[in-house]
Amino acid sequence: MSDILRLKLLIAYDGRPFRGWQSQATKDAVQDHVEAAFANTIGEKVSVQGSGRTDAGVHALAQIAHADVPTARLEVTAWQGALNNFLPPEIRVLRVTRAAPDFHARFSARGKIYTYRIWNSQYLHPLEIGRVWHMPSALDLDILRAGLVLLEGQHDFAGFAANRAPGYAAEDTVRTIQQITLSRRGELLTLRFEGNGFLYKMVRLLTGTLVRCAQGRAELTFIHELLAEKGARKTSFAAPAEGLYLTRVLY
């Protein structure tokens, strides 16, 4: 029997205090805090691999990560409590299970679901501060729904990806969005994006551009053009980070 056990972690976090998921030199990313919790628990460094990056300020309801730990240290059922003892209150491990040795939080994933929340009212409810995009102006929901249809399916989404430093940009910018749904409950609009993968800031740029059209400040032809030009031109209308949630990773 191997003396190394691979754990699968389900993690939720309020993204506001952190510089995203990915480890930073300043050690103030979510990944840094989870790795520090492992080190404090067993006294040695453990590498934690997430399903993907979330930007600074973006929340997660169900980030998935994996980590390899010595088998003899703790029972699987004890890891959740042990890690949460050392994590800030804005990060919680919701579940820990034994994973197959070849499971990889990122490379085993076949898709993700993101949710974007918009508070469409003149006044923002105080308990939604930092958790939604406050949009006081009127939105044409028919235009918004028409825009969702344009974005579904397989497209080159380079026009909806923020620029990255050399060496970090995605070489392949073709992605498939299986479904985008819009729901409304009172002042709250919720967009749900399900796709096989998303580029850097893609969901925020999609949402920002859709809202721009729904405000009457851009035509739906703008979306057509961005998809057709395959990155020759990019949208600059990015929705703020605080409305975005990593909702589920699909395996």
Side-chain angles (χ1 to χ4, degrees), residues 30-45:
V30 177
Q31 182 182 15
D32 294 315
H33 286 280
V34 178
E35 290 185 343
F38 271 103
N40 285 323
T41 299
I42 64 173
E44 60 184 76
K45 179 177 174 58

Side-chain angles (χ1 to χ4, degrees), residues 119-135:
W119 194 267
N120 188 208
S121 176
Q122 183 178 1
Y123 301 106
L124 175 61
H125 193 293
L127 298 184
E128 292 287 356
I129 293 171
R131 303 186 185 283
V132 295
W133 180 11
H134 181 211
M135 178 56 57

Side-chain angles (χ1 to χ4, degrees), residues 8-248:
K8 178 182 178 182
L9 293 82
L10 175 66
I11 304 172
Y13 48 86
D14 178 344
R16 289 178 293 176
F18 310 111
R19 295 187 62 187
W21 165 266
Q22 188 75 15
S23 180
Q24 302 288 323
T26 48
K27 298 299 181 183
D28 55 356
V30 177
Q31 182 182 15
D32 294 315
H33 286 280
V34 178
E35 290 185 343
F38 271 103
N40 285 323
T41 299
I42 64 173
E44 60 184 76
K45 179 177 174 58
V46 173
S47 175
V48 176
Q49 301 297 316
S51 68
R53 301 177 181 182
T54 54
D55 301 333
V58 173
H59 313 297
L61 301 177
Q63 173 70 282
I64 299 294
H66 78 263
D68 293 332
V69 297
T71 304
R73 291 301 181 92
L74 287 175
E75 295 292 331
V76 173
T77 54
W79 278 103
Q80 179 187 9
L83 294 172
N84 284 333
N85 281 340
F86 292 106
L87 286 169
E90 296 88 356
I91 304 173
R92 276 297 170 264
V93 176
L94 304 181
R95 186 169 65 241
V96 180
T97 55
R98 182 189 299 265
D102 61 349
F103 171 79
H104 194 286
R106 178 183 174 190
F107 298 121
S108 298
R110 62 177 181 84
K112 293 179 182 175
I113 297 174
Y114 282 93
T115 302
Y116 198 96
R117 303 172 76 241
I118 301 169
W119 194 267
N120 188 208
S121 176
Q122 183 178 1
Y123 301 106
L124 175 61
H125 193 293
L127 298 184
E128 292 287 356
I129 293 171
R131 303 186 185 283
V132 295
W133 180 11
H134 181 211
M135 178 56 57
S137 61
L139 298 176
D140 188 323
L141 298 190
D142 289 334
I143 290 178
L144 193 56
R145 291 188 182 95
L148 303 184
V149 174
L150 296 178
L151 293 168
E152 289 181 337
Q154 185 180 82
H155 302 284
D156 189 324
F157 285 102
F160 294 92
N163 292 325
R164 304 204 69 170
Y168 289 92
E171 295 182 6
D172 180 8
T173 52
V174 175
R175 297 290 186 274
T176 299
I177 297 182
Q178 283 89 4
Q179 187 178 40
I180 313 174
T181 58
L182 168 66
S183 61
R184 177 157 204 162
R185 185 175 182 180
E187 296 88 351
L188 180 65
L189 300 175
T190 302
L191 291 168
R192 182 180 182 273
F193 299 81
E194 179 177 345
N196 68 350
F198 295 89
L199 302 169
Y200 181 47
K201 295 189 178 180
M202 178 174 156
V203 176
R204 291 171 57 191
L205 289 163
L206 291 173
T207 301
T209 304
L210 287 165
V211 166
R212 189 82 171 181
C213 293
Q215 289 176 305
R217 302 173 70 184
E219 300 294 328
L220 287 175
T221 52
F222 180 54
I223 293 176
H224 277 291
E225 293 164 0
L226 287 170
L227 294 174
E229 293 179 17
K230 302 179 179 181
R233 181 165 50 139
K234 291 178 177 285
T235 181
S236 59
F237 307 126
E242 57 261 29
L244 183 59
Y245 297 74
L246 174 57
T247 305
R248 186 179 176 188

